[in-house]
Amino acid sequence: MFAQTYGSTTFGVNGILIQVEVDIANGLPGFEIVGLPDAAVKESKERVRTAIKNSGVKLRQEKITINLAPADIKKDSSGLDLPIAIGLLAAYGIVPVTICQNSMFAAELSLEGKLRGIHGLLPMAIHCKESKIKTIFVAPENINEALLVEGLTVYAVETLTELIAFLTGEKVVEPALKKIADPVEIDSFAEDFADVQGQFVAKRALEIAAAGGHNILMVGPPGAGKTMLARRVSSILPTMSNQEALEVTKIYSIAGLLRQSEGLITNRPFRSPHHTISSAGMIGGGTIPKPGEVTLSHHGVLFLDELPEFGKSTLEVLRQPLEDGMVTISRVNASIAFPASLMLVTAMNPCPCGFLGDSEHVCSCTANEIKRYTKKISGPLLDRIDIHIQVPRVEYKELTETKPAEASIVIRSRVEAARCVQLNRFKKNKIFCNAQMSHAMLKRHCALTPEAESLLELVFKKMSLSARSYDRIIKVSRTIADLDHSEQITDHHAAEAVQLRNNLIQI
Ligand SMILES: Nc1ncnc2c1ncn2[C@@H]1O[C@H](COP(=O)(O)OP(=O)(O)OP(=O)(O)O)[C@@H](O)[C@H]1O
Ligand SMILES: [Mg+2]
């Protein structure tokens, strides 16, 4: 007696279809799972056996062999419980073989026989559709994720008993219907730029950074409002396109951070890890690698407050993702690429006491202390940060101003307009903003006026810029021109971009 059905597991941020083959033969009773199962899948045989028994089905004791194909991929999903159970029931002739052959099953089983939700269902469902399988059976917790994939017939069932009754035709279960999503309140940010008085240079820099997806470093004395400004960046970020939203939702699904009531994530992620985070926490890790903070910030913001407090190695591992927009983690049996196209927002004091360069306070640090403090931030990392700005203490007159400052919604409308131009520009390029442009694209999309060209030539020589810094200045100039609705980059745009790249930290 032989039967086969489909389950799924995840690899990186993608789903992989797993063919579950079950054979029942005469011989010594036994239950063997082959095909590189990991601990969670090996344990599945106890859950499956008990769940089937508690669903009121008695199986004859025989020699059971289960093969999970392809055999060269490590399977780590407890969601293979259900396809193993269904394959077994089909091999015993309890449920019809045909329906199992053309469907995918993805849920964990409780000992009682209930279906439980699993992580990573969205990428699994996407791959299921790509593999031309049209029907998927899931636990009720995963229904919203499965319904995000158009063209799939989704059945959400509570228990194994209910599923057996449906497959044998004893009970009718209707396919789940897509709910019309509640309108998302995008103007309801608790933290708004209207609360931040003064700091016009910093606000303008953050607007440019948000418009083009540029990395930014803020340096200033304690209490200047750096953290306050950074926490408000989310409120001016442009809304995500559908494709961006789907990519982010896939990552959160795999990381198990998708709330049950949530379908598509529409707000850009904002991650702010503590400085004690490890390198593996930052870029991802584990025997079967899981996404880290850089991947969880994909299409959103990674905010590193008090930058020099982070471990040196933790900061250095950021270099590859910041350059490539993705992070590759290699293990003996596989190498996995996670997307990590993010906007890095960082804040720090200029020295340990925080008052270096302050007009009112005297800095009490020695030259050695300052050197030790800033040494953790390497030149190559700084080179990858497009915008460097100083955030000085806010003046008394500005702070006590009763009129609220410009609200986030007004700033966001300008950011949205600039991002719209960029989406149009990069329609054929699979990128979304100026910061993601490659060197070749710069030539195509960044036409400079002759005045801008001569200004940049002068700056390149005077500031002895690296080629990367030069490219990054051009990208920021492109964003400033977009905010100004200008097709060409003029000398005004270039001059502002150069000013935003002050070398504030001496290494
Ligand atoms: N421009 C401002 N407008 C209104 N309030 C401000 C402003 N700047 C600072 N504040 C007030 O000061 C508090 C401290 O600011 P914040 O924590 O952002 O400082 P910081 O620059 O991050 O300091 P540190 O370097 O010590 O981390 C804020 O919570 C806010 O109440
Ligand atoms: Mg702070």
Side-chain angles (χ1 to χ4, degrees):
M1 285 166 292
F2 171 83
Q4 67 111 34
T5 184
Y6 292 102
S8 190
T9 185
T10 53
F11 186 75
V13 287
N14 295 315
I16 291 184
L17 198 67
I18 302 291
Q19 200 170 348
V20 179
E21 299 166 344
V22 184
D23 181 71
I24 296 169
N26 294 331
L28 278 181
F31 194 137
E32 195 73 48
I33 300 181
V34 295
L36 228 57
D38 91 333
V41 180
K42 277 188 192 141
E43 285 169 3
S44 130
K45 64 181 161 194
E46 295 308 325
R47 285 195 297 271
V48 168
R49 225 190 325 229
T50 321
I52 291 180
K53 184 191 86 194
N54 289 339
S55 301
V57 180
K58 211 162 172 3
L59 299 181
R60 287 184 311 275
Q61 295 268 331
E62 280 179 269
K63 185 175 186 295
I64 301 167
T65 311
I66 292 174
N67 180 33
L68 307 174
D72 58 345
I73 291 172
K74 188 104 178 141
K75 287 98 187 163
D76 69 334
S77 174
S78 57
L80 288 170
D81 283 4
L82 189 61
I84 290 175
I86 293 297
L88 205 55
L89 292 169
Y92 271 102
I94 292 164
V95 297
V97 175
T98 38
I99 188 162
C100 304
Q101 269 171 350
N102 301 312
S103 311
M104 191 182 104
F105 299 83
E108 189 183 310
L109 284 174
S110 76
L111 294 183
E112 198 188 350
K114 270 196 176 152
L115 269 62
R116 287 195 173 129
I118 53 167
H119 296 169
L121 193 98
L122 177 59
M124 292 177 185
I126 292 173
H127 190 71
C128 174
K129 192 192 163 195
E130 286 166 359
S131 312
K132 307 258 177 322
I133 293 173
K134 300 233 168 59
T135 312
I136 174 168
F137 292 85
V138 299
E141 291 99 305
N142 284 134
I143 190 161
N144 284 340
E145 279 179 66
L147 286 173
L148 286 176
V149 185
E150 302 277 342
L152 276 184
T153 309
V154 180
Y155 290 97
V157 270
E158 300 263 354
T159 60
L160 190 58
T161 319
E162 188 187 350
L163 183 54
I164 296 170
F166 171 68
L167 294 175
T168 51
E170 284 166 27
K171 187 179 173 194
V172 180
V173 176
E174 293 296 333
L177 291 178
K178 199 167 185 155
K179 270 193 287 179
I180 306 294
D182 295 335
V184 188
E185 288 257 330
I186 51 170
D187 298 334
S188 59
F189 285 97
E191 295 178 319
D192 197 292
F193 271 99
D195 312 329
V196 187
Q197 300 294 354
Q199 301 296 17
F200 300 108
V201 174
K203 283 188 197 165
R204 167 77 178 158
L206 285 169
E207 178 178 334
I208 295 168
H214 302 289
N215 302 330
I216 181 167
L217 167 72
M218 294 184 277
V219 183
K226 302 178 297 295
T227 306
M228 192 181 184
L229 284 159
R231 295 214 163 273
R232 282 158 178 76
V233 170
S234 298
S235 66
I236 60 165
L237 288 176
T239 37
M240 283 196 282
S241 67
N242 253 345
Q243 198 194 333
E244 284 177 304
L246 201 63
E247 285 177 22
V248 171
T249 314
K250 256 169 85 172
I251 292 167
Y252 277 70
S253 166
I254 283 180
L257 297 173
L258 206 59
R259 268 170 270 146
Q260 216 188 90
S261 57
E262 241 167 0
L264 205 62
I265 297 181
T266 48
N267 285 344
R268 287 182 189 271
F270 182 92
R271 305 289 300 182
S272 152
H274 189 256
H275 56 70
T276 48
I277 185 173
S278 65
S279 305
M282 189 65 97
I283 58 158
T287 342
I288 296 176
K290 292 280 174 250
E293 288 294 332
V294 289
T295 303
L296 294 173
S297 317
H298 185 54
H299 292 320
V301 173
L302 176 66
F303 173 41
L304 304 184
D305 204 359
E306 316 297 351
L307 194 62
E309 303 300 334
F310 282 80
K312 192 163 168 54
S313 58
T314 313
L315 292 180
E316 289 310 295
V317 294
L318 284 173
R319 282 163 57 170
Q320 189 228 348
L322 286 182
E323 195 71 7
D324 305 341
M326 60 158 57
V327 49
T328 313
I329 302 177
S330 295
R331 292 288 177 267
V332 178
N333 48 6
S335 134
I336 297 181
F338 286 113
S341 179
L342 56 97
M343 174 180 160
L344 180 70
V345 177
T346 56
M348 64 180 282
N349 301 124
C351 65
C353 84
F355 293 111
L356 183 69
D358 193 288
S359 52
E360 304 292 322
H361 293 80
V362 182
C363 170
S364 59
C365 309
T366 62
N368 252 346
E369 281 172 339
I370 298 174
K371 203 164 176 196
R372 218 176 308 130
Y373 184 70
T374 51
K375 216 172 66 182
K376 279 197 192 155
I377 305 151
S378 67
L381 179 65
L382 274 184
D383 215 23
R384 284 162 171 78
I385 301 181
D386 313 354
I387 301 178
H388 302 182
I389 53 155
Q390 199 140 26
V391 183
R393 274 181 315 111
V394 61
E395 297 289 329
Y396 177 77
K397 209 168 130 252
E398 284 173 344
L399 189 62
T400 47
E401 178 67 72
T402 45
K403 217 170 81 190
E406 192 174 34
S408 292
I409 184 168
V410 183
I411 306 175
R412 194 175 63 235
S413 64
R414 295 195 293 264
V415 170
E416 292 265 17
R419 195 57 83 94
C420 198
V421 174
Q422 295 167 50
L423 283 176
N424 246 338
R425 176 181 302 139
F426 302 127
K427 257 195 311 237
K428 293 184 188 137
N429 296 101
K430 282 191 174 171
I431 62 167
F432 304 96
C433 57
N434 291 336
Q436 296 168 343
M437 271 191 282
S438 65
H439 183 76
M441 286 180 203
L442 283 183
K443 290 216 164 59
R444 208 171 324 133
H445 299 298
C446 301
L448 300 163
T449 60
E451 294 81 16
E453 252 179 62
S454 45
L455 176 95
L456 285 176
E457 188 185 345
L458 191 75
V459 170
F460 187 81
K461 287 180 185 156
K462 279 251 179 231
M463 286 170 72
S464 22
L465 294 178
S466 70
R468 186 193 289 122
S469 301
Y470 178 75
D471 279 3
R472 285 183 180 248
I473 287 179
I474 301 233
K475 288 181 195 175
V476 176
S477 314
R478 180 66 270 168
T479 306
I480 297 171
D482 289 341
L483 280 165
D484 201 19
H485 310 289
S486 165
E487 186 53 43
Q488 274 208 321
I489 299 173
T490 68
D491 47 345
H492 292 287
H493 305 138
E496 188 175 1
V498 171
Q499 277 193 348
L500 290 175
R501 215 189 152 85
N502 272 327
N503 273 332
L504 297 169
I505 309 171
Q506 308 302 327
I507 300 179

